[in-house]
Amino acid sequence: MSLHERILGDIEQHIVSGRWPPGHRIPSEQDLTQQYGCSRMTVNKVLTQLARGGLVERRRKAGSFVTRPQSRSAVLEIQDIRSEVESLGQAYRYEVRERKRRRSTNADMQTLGLGQHSPVLHLVTQHWAGARPFCLEQRLIGLDTVPAAAEQDFSSEAPGAWLVNHVPWTSAEHRIRAVGADAQTAPLLELPLGAPCLLIERRTWLGGQPVTFVRLTYPGDGHELVARFSPSSGSAAHNGS
């Protein structure tokens, strides 16, 4: 193993293991040069390679810092949060912070598209990637459509994963926008009040009956959405955009 590979492997191990968390300042080029007894050029090449790989952010006159992993979701798919986290090489865990069965309020009826007052299950779930909050999930489930949800405590399977694995759906709608972290969201995601967040709101139906509405809030600097699509019929031959 070359010295370059050894330094690269050591730094990668510190980052992947969580010993150096996102935002951690990596030792300076001079410190690494002294530690490994090598040239500054060797250290510079290692840090440049790490920056290209997205593990490190180099800031002029400030040093090099561990970046926050960037999660990606497909806009046209229903993603499993656990899979998102594990794809980043992070340990996943979740906690149901609130679970309440109730008769739908007027706001619930509008949110779910209910024609009349009926029972719903309200859930607030927090998801982590390693030691850092990853996503806040606020969910309503229509119990007339999914009565089995009333018997679930979701201690062994998160609500979203349970629904995907146990309840069929025939249509879905995504709405995506940027928001500022509010008084409830900010402390749970360990963000300053008003910090930018990415909000995904999703509704699913089964044969026209509402299954669930979920609001997923992510820290704005740690998540991106990806869509792959083809040109609509008749446009491909005339539009190369």
Side-chain angles (χ1 to χ4, degrees):
M1 177 186 294
S2 68
L3 189 54
H4 175 99
E5 292 172 333
R6 178 187 164 199
I7 300 171
L8 180 66
D10 287 351
I11 295 177
E12 285 181 337
Q13 178 60 29
H14 288 322
I15 294 172
V16 172
S17 68
R19 182 177 177 185
W20 289 356
H24 177 85
R25 188 179 186 279
I26 291 173
S28 68
E29 288 187 11
Q30 182 176 353
D31 289 341
L32 290 171
T33 296
Q34 293 176 352
Q35 178 182 344
Y36 288 96
C38 63
S39 69
R40 191 161 182 168
M41 182 179 294
T42 298
V43 170
N44 184 274
K45 287 181 178 179
V46 168
L47 294 177
T48 298
Q49 184 174 343
L50 289 166
R52 287 175 179 168
L55 289 177
V56 165
E57 176 187 1
R58 306 193 74 182
R59 303 176 191 169
R60 188 175 180 183
K61 297 183 179 180
S64 298
F65 299 82
V66 178
T67 58
R68 182 168 186 168
Q70 189 79 5
S71 170
R72 310 178 81 192
S73 287
V75 178
L76 302 180
E77 297 178 5
I78 294 181
Q79 294 290 317
D80 175 50
I81 296 176
R82 180 184 192 121
S83 297
E84 289 184 64
V85 171
E86 292 179 344
S87 72
L88 301 172
Q90 302 288 306
Y92 169 76
R93 68 183 179 92
Y94 76 94
E95 176 185 344
V96 177
R97 303 189 66 93
E98 186 177 343
R99 181 189 180 281
K100 185 177 182 180
R101 179 177 178 175
R102 66 176 186 231
R103 184 173 181 264
S104 61
T105 63
N106 290 336
D108 295 338
M109 290 178 63
Q110 183 175 358
T111 296
L112 276 174
L114 299 171
Q116 60 184 12
H117 288 289
S118 57
V120 297
L121 186 63
H122 170 75
L123 296 155
V124 177
T125 309
Q126 189 170 4
H127 304 262
W128 282 268
R132 294 183 64 91
F134 181 77
C135 175
L136 180 65
E137 172 186 339
Q138 298 161 292
R139 183 182 294 273
L140 281 174
I141 300 175
L143 293 179
D144 279 352
T145 309
V146 193
E151 308 303 322
Q152 302 298 316
D153 62 9
F154 302 106
S155 60
S156 59
E157 191 173 23
W162 184 86
L163 284 166
V164 168
N165 291 329
H166 295 85
V167 182
W169 56 276
T170 54
S171 60
E173 173 190 83
H174 275 152
R175 292 181 181 270
I176 304 155
R177 55 193 170 98
V179 297
D182 59 23
Q184 178 185 10
T185 304
L188 293 176
L189 292 180
E190 298 180 6
L191 297 172
L193 190 65
C197 294
L198 178 69
L199 176 65
I200 302 174
E201 293 180 332
R202 180 170 62 240
R203 291 175 174 83
T204 55
W205 293 269
L206 174 60
Q209 298 301 310
V211 174
T212 188
F213 167 81
V214 62
R215 180 179 287 114
L216 302 170
T217 307
Y218 297 84
D221 64 347
H223 200 83
E224 66 178 9
L225 296 168
V226 179
R228 178 174 294 179
F229 52 91
S230 301
S232 59
S233 177
S235 66
H238 303 287
N239 190 345
S241 298

